[in-house]
Amino acid sequence: MTDLNNTKYMDKRIVVQPVYGKGSQPSMYSSPNVFVPFDMANYASGAWPRPGNIRNRRYGGHPISYEQVSIPVEKKLALIDVAINLTNKIFSLDLDFVLDRALNAGIEKMILTGNTIQMSDKAVLLANRHPGFIYAGVGIHPHFAEKQWNAKTLEVMKRLVSLPEVVAVGEVGLDFHRNYSKQENQIEAFEKQVELACEFKKPLLAHERAAHQKFMEILSKFRGRLPPIVVHCFTGTKQEMKTYVAMGFYIGITGFICKEKVGKNLREAIADCPLDRILLESDAPYMIPNAPITDLDSVCRSLISKCKTGRNEPCTLPVVAYTVAKCLEVDVEEVTKATMDNANRVFNLTNTTPVDEES
């Protein structure tokens, strides 16, 4: 395990230490100012509490599973997960196991989303720990725009976006469905972060819920300067998808497409989407690809079984790939190759020079 203790990050010294909770028991959860990576050696020696014995209240009180993924070589797909919330605290107890399952499932690279400054910081740290496998996105999610966005945040974001391991600005955008932040705060934060993406020529991982018109209005202001735009976790209409594709945007597809009832419209819409505009995302711990069991082969059923705690994992991304292939009526290998090529091109995962989509 990489030792981050006393190393420098953005001119600050990193201090790695256990955070003690009730009863003087070490906790795997860190404060916003202390990053506590999972320590396999301490876990094995019993110095840390066994995560399998800890029940998570939010996800139904089930113990976290440490089962490994086993896929026959001939059925393993090569994939890139372009949006995953690995800095969510639900992964704090068993992150190394989650990453191991992802690798065994064929996930070759992944991009972590930043939703707050703290989560963006952690995404960068994880990218440093796993170069070539994990890459970072940094941003302020619309849910947190009201509490987090200010002039100081913008300066911190500029420093983060300039880092080479940061390959995207996101997750950013507008959410007028839940409105956890006032719409005026969401709009201000989104506009500033779009401008930031344009300045640094980093792709934008953009969240949009019930805000299509304003979303397009803001992005249209920057037309001619925009970097690649990924409409993250697309759940909109066929017409909205066509509008995005016509603008040259990419469509991020998650496990939402697998859901029997609510995913029906998306399955119909994606059938008309060019394959060179599709990217695959797990969006874990959200968007479990819980398709009807009769629609899944044994491999997909095995992958989804790792979500029995109610928490999605990146190892389920092959299920999304199979569903997209079925919608497009093509072989799944065609989907995996195209989406990997798209991800490598959009996020420059194999290049050093930023892509300018509109140059």
Side-chain angles (χ1 to χ4, degrees):
M1 179 176 175
T2 304
D3 184 8
L4 296 174
N5 206 27
N6 291 317
T7 58
K8 282 192 174 182
Y9 169 67
M10 293 180 66
D11 299 323
K12 294 183 179 180
R13 186 172 61 88
I14 297 174
V15 177
V16 181
Q17 62 185 39
V19 180
Y20 290 89
K22 293 181 179 180
S24 298
Q25 292 295 321
S27 168
M28 290 306 300
Y29 293 97
S30 65
S31 72
N33 300 317
V34 181
F35 178 70
V36 186
F38 188 79
D39 190 328
M40 289 292 293
N42 281 332
Y43 171 80
S45 68
W48 295 97
R50 296 275 175 172
N53 296 327
I54 297 175
R55 295 179 179 271
N56 186 287
R57 294 177 184 175
R58 179 178 177 185
Y59 289 90
H62 300 292
I64 294 173
S65 169
Y66 287 107
E67 297 176 15
Q68 294 306 311
V69 167
S70 179
I71 299 177
V73 175
E74 66 275 11
K75 290 192 174 183
K76 184 176 289 189
L77 305 177
L79 295 164
I80 297 177
D81 188 345
V82 304
I84 175 174
N85 304 284
L86 272 191
T87 57
N88 188 299
K89 67 180 182 180
I90 193 63
F91 293 116
S92 297
L93 292 173
D94 62 339
L95 180 58
D96 289 317
F97 293 93
V98 171
L99 294 178
D100 186 55
R101 281 192 284 268
L103 283 166
N104 287 334
I107 312 304
E108 296 190 354
K109 301 172 187 175
M110 57 176 65
I111 299 171
L112 275 54
T113 56
N115 295 327
T116 64
I117 288 297
Q118 292 81 9
M119 294 174 82
S120 296
D121 277 335
K122 289 184 179 181
V124 171
L125 286 168
L126 285 170
N128 279 317
R129 286 179 62 199
H130 302 277
F133 176 42
I134 291 180
Y135 299 84
V138 299
I140 304 298
H141 191 284
H143 289 347
F144 306 104
E146 187 173 346
K147 291 184 178 180
Q148 286 232 338
W149 190 260
N150 52 50
K152 184 178 179 181
T153 301
L154 179 59
E155 292 307 309
V156 174
M157 283 284 295
K158 284 183 177 180
R159 293 201 301 272
L160 288 172
V161 173
S162 68
L163 297 173
E165 57 269 37
V166 173
V167 298
V169 175
E171 180 180 347
V172 304
L174 302 174
D175 194 317
F176 293 173
H177 174 62
R178 296 181 180 88
N179 280 318
Y180 290 153
S181 293
K182 293 177 182 177
Q183 291 188 7
E184 55 265 35
N185 296 116
Q186 294 186 47
I187 291 169
E188 179 187 0
F190 185 40
E191 286 184 337
K192 292 293 185 181
Q193 290 178 100
V194 173
E195 189 172 343
L196 197 63
C198 292
E199 179 183 348
F200 287 89
K201 297 186 181 298
K202 297 283 177 87
L204 199 71
L205 281 169
H207 172 111
E208 182 269 306
R209 290 290 181 276
H212 176 73
Q213 185 174 349
K214 177 58 72 171
F215 184 79
M216 289 301 299
E217 179 185 318
I218 291 172
L219 291 176
S220 295
K221 293 179 183 178
F222 297 89
R223 195 159 191 176
R225 299 174 53 203
L226 287 173
I229 306 293
V230 179
V231 184
H232 163 64
C233 189
F234 178 75
T235 58
T237 66
K238 181 183 290 190
Q239 186 54 51
E240 288 171 351
M241 185 200 71
K242 288 182 176 179
T243 300
Y244 292 143
V245 170
M247 286 281 289
F249 300 171
Y250 293 83
I251 307 298
I253 301 298
T254 68
F256 186 88
I257 197 172
C258 304
K259 299 180 185 297
E260 184 175 15
K261 294 182 179 179
V262 296
K264 181 181 178 182
N265 290 338
L266 179 56
R267 288 192 294 275
E268 293 174 355
I270 206 67
D272 293 331
C273 186
L275 191 48
D276 66 358
R277 290 288 138 180
I278 295 176
L279 292 165
L280 302 182
E281 317 171 334
S282 69
D283 201 26
Y286 315 109
M287 296 297 166
I288 296 174
N290 49 354
I293 199 71
T294 53
D295 292 349
L296 302 173
D297 63 13
S298 59
V299 170
C300 290
R301 286 198 296 270
S302 172
L303 294 174
I304 292 180
S305 72
K306 304 303 180 286
C307 301
K308 60 188 176 184
T309 61
R311 175 193 73 174
N312 192 18
E313 290 195 17
C315 70
T316 66
L317 196 61
V319 184
V320 179
Y322 277 109
T323 304
V324 170
K326 186 176 180 180
C327 293
L328 296 178
E329 298 181 344
V330 299
D331 292 336
V332 70
E333 290 78 12
E334 188 175 343
V335 170
T336 59
K337 183 182 185 305
T339 55
M340 281 194 71
D341 288 345
N342 295 344
N344 281 319
R345 181 177 67 255
V346 169
F347 297 102
N348 296 288
L349 303 183
T350 56
N351 302 313
T352 56
T353 305
V355 172
D356 188 348
E357 284 283 302
E358 299 190 346
S359 61

